[in-house]
Amino acid sequence: MISVIIAAYNAEKYLPECLDSVLGQTYKDLEVLVVDDGSSDNTLEIINEYSRKDPRVVPIHQENMGVAGARNTAFDRMKGEYFTIIDADDKIDTNAYAEALEAAESTGADMVIWGLDRFSEKGIVPQPDPMLKQGLYEGKECKKLWLDFIYREKRRVVPFLHCRMFRTSVLREHGLRLNDKLKRSEDYMLLSEFHFFCGRVYSMTDRKFLHYRQNEESITHKYVEDYFGMVKLIYAEIKAFAKENKAYSEEFARRADRMCLYRTFMSIENENLHMVSQKEKLKNVRSFLCDPLVKGAAKRIGFRDGKRLYGKKYYAMRLGLASMLLKFCKG
């Protein structure tokens, strides 16, 4: 059985399309856990209606806990040997789960990764070809994938939870959870840990099973409170994780520093969405630049690599030019 997890918050507009794509799979042995995360629209009614029509749909209602809390609730309830996650406004190809399951069972993979395309009301949004070669990765190759997931200049590993099928026993054996303190990038933390514990990973990223909706109403297009605080938490937690699991190395530290700066620039991009005065935005950005974590990471990276990786944003950071960074980091 495959458990399909859908966290739904005020998702009435697109949830039926998502559920139709999941329930229409050629692979039928599914349980579809749909968590209504305290919606104020008709989301719960839609879930209940689908559940009455198809017993594979498991409705779960809870007070609003955020997407991480909703998915963790489903983790506690799921019964499948494998699980996968899809956002309530996305769609999945009809044969996706059948092909992913065949790949997992024929190779013994703990994780199967597939590709995606993006679409909006205007049509398909072009995507670059996947850099991760197709086939099976195991042993040391899996650990290299983990490092590449932490940070790689040219992204090799698809960074989304909903482009994967996972073996449930890995999650439970290692007590993996989504960090509900993170309003953004909670999937990054879980995926980095899951990648570390995988013995085998199968890539089929040439198969663009997931249809990812470019939804301007989603959280990824809105200002997120204390984004930079979450960057610091992510850095601290991946560092602690690496040390706890005896995986801390010079190469890990190098990639963690690069991840830190990359996400700091994302924090500044987020600040551009903040509905406050320009003076307040500049004050916030200066506080990011003065933080010991950022200053240390920027210094360790150095001007040569900093210029190659981040261009003029790196120079503005090292020189403390907050106004220039706000200009350079517009989404």
Side-chain angles (χ1 to χ4, degrees):
M1 179 191 286
I2 300 174
S3 297
V4 183
I5 295 171
I6 306 173
Y9 175 72
N10 289 347
E12 64 178 5
K13 186 175 181 180
Y14 300 119
L15 181 59
E17 284 184 74
C18 175
L19 282 169
D20 288 343
S21 74
V22 170
L23 296 172
Q25 293 290 303
T26 56
Y27 179 78
K28 301 299 183 184
D29 190 13
L30 305 173
E31 65 162 0
V32 185
L33 300 108
V34 192
V35 184
D36 170 49
D37 192 37
S39 298
S40 58
D41 64 0
N42 293 317
T43 294
L44 182 58
E45 288 78 3
I46 292 169
I47 299 168
N48 288 336
E49 179 64 23
Y50 271 83
S51 179
R52 284 191 287 270
K53 293 178 180 177
D54 193 323
R56 295 177 298 171
V57 176
V58 181
I60 302 171
H61 175 71
Q62 64 181 29
E63 296 302 314
N64 184 258
M65 296 175 62
V67 66
R71 289 170 177 167
N72 283 336
T73 296
F75 289 167
D76 293 336
R77 296 275 298 272
M78 64 187 181
K79 299 175 182 177
E81 182 181 357
Y82 301 94
F83 73 94
T84 186
I85 292 170
I86 184 169
D87 284 347
D89 55 355
D90 293 342
K91 298 184 289 185
I92 190 83
D93 265 10
T94 303
N95 210 39
Y97 299 156
E99 291 192 35
L101 183 64
E102 195 282 328
E105 294 191 333
S106 64
T107 63
D110 297 318
M111 180 194 296
V112 177
I113 309 175
W114 54 78
L116 78 156
D117 60 33
R118 296 173 187 256
F119 72 100
S120 69
E121 303 303 327
K122 298 177 182 178
I124 299 295
V125 180
Q127 294 295 296
D129 291 333
M131 294 190 67
L132 185 64
K133 291 181 180 180
Q134 315 313 305
L136 183 65
Y137 295 78
E138 53 187 329
K140 290 182 179 180
E141 291 179 321
C142 275
K143 289 298 182 283
K144 181 64 165 56
L145 284 183
W146 170 66
L147 283 170
D148 284 348
F149 187 82
I150 297 297
Y151 182 84
R152 191 173 190 264
E153 182 181 349
K154 293 182 179 179
R155 181 173 282 162
R156 181 182 181 218
V157 185
V158 180
F160 303 121
L161 273 174
H162 36 288
C163 282
R164 289 165 164 81
M165 186 181 77
F166 308 87
R167 189 179 298 276
T168 304
S169 60
V170 176
L171 181 103
R172 295 212 161 121
E173 180 182 350
H174 298 285
L176 304 182
R177 308 281 285 179
L178 286 155
N179 189 329
D180 56 14
K181 295 178 183 177
L182 297 172
K183 296 178 184 177
R184 190 78 78 74
S185 300
E186 73 286 342
D187 50 351
Y188 175 83
M189 290 298 305
L190 178 68
L191 280 173
S192 66
E193 294 171 0
F194 209 104
H195 265 285
F196 181 83
F197 290 121
C198 279
R200 291 182 173 185
V201 173
Y202 189 82
S203 169
M204 51 197 310
T205 52
D206 59 330
R207 306 287 285 134
K208 295 186 177 182
F209 290 145
L210 180 75
H211 307 297
Y212 178 93
R213 190 184 301 271
Q214 295 274 84
N215 183 0
E216 294 298 323
E217 298 174 3
S218 75
I219 189 173
T220 55
H221 294 90
K222 297 178 181 178
Y223 172 73
V224 178
E225 189 74 32
D226 195 28
Y227 191 105
F228 182 64
M230 288 184 271
V231 173
K232 295 200 291 182
L233 178 60
I234 289 169
Y235 183 90
E237 292 208 352
I238 65 165
K239 184 176 178 180
F241 176 86
K243 288 184 174 180
E244 180 182 344
N245 289 280
K246 298 180 174 55
Y248 192 87
S249 65
E250 184 177 330
E251 178 62 16
F252 168 84
R254 188 179 71 86
R255 295 191 187 224
D257 281 342
R258 283 153 176 72
M259 179 277 295
C260 174
L261 288 205
Y262 171 76
R263 290 181 177 274
T264 299
F265 293 130
M266 289 176 66
S267 299
I268 298 170
E269 183 176 322
N270 178 64
E271 197 61 35
N272 272 309
L273 302 173
H274 200 174
M275 299 301 289
V276 295
S277 67
Q278 186 72 3
K279 182 178 179 180
E280 188 67 20
K281 290 180 183 180
L282 289 169
K283 178 183 174 183
N284 293 337
V285 172
R286 289 187 185 107
S287 72
F288 305 163
L289 302 183
C290 290
D291 190 278
L293 173 61
V294 174
K295 292 178 75 173
K299 185 176 180 180
R300 287 189 293 272
I301 289 172
F303 280 99
R304 185 180 66 178
D305 283 344
K307 178 183 177 182
R308 178 176 58 82
L309 292 167
Y310 314 111
K312 56 191 177 183
K313 291 187 289 188
Y314 178 81
Y315 282 94
M317 172 178 278
R318 290 298 300 270
L319 294 172
L321 302 176
S323 60
M324 295 300 291
L325 274 171
L326 276 171
K327 180 181 178 180
F328 295 154
C329 294
K330 286 191 175 180

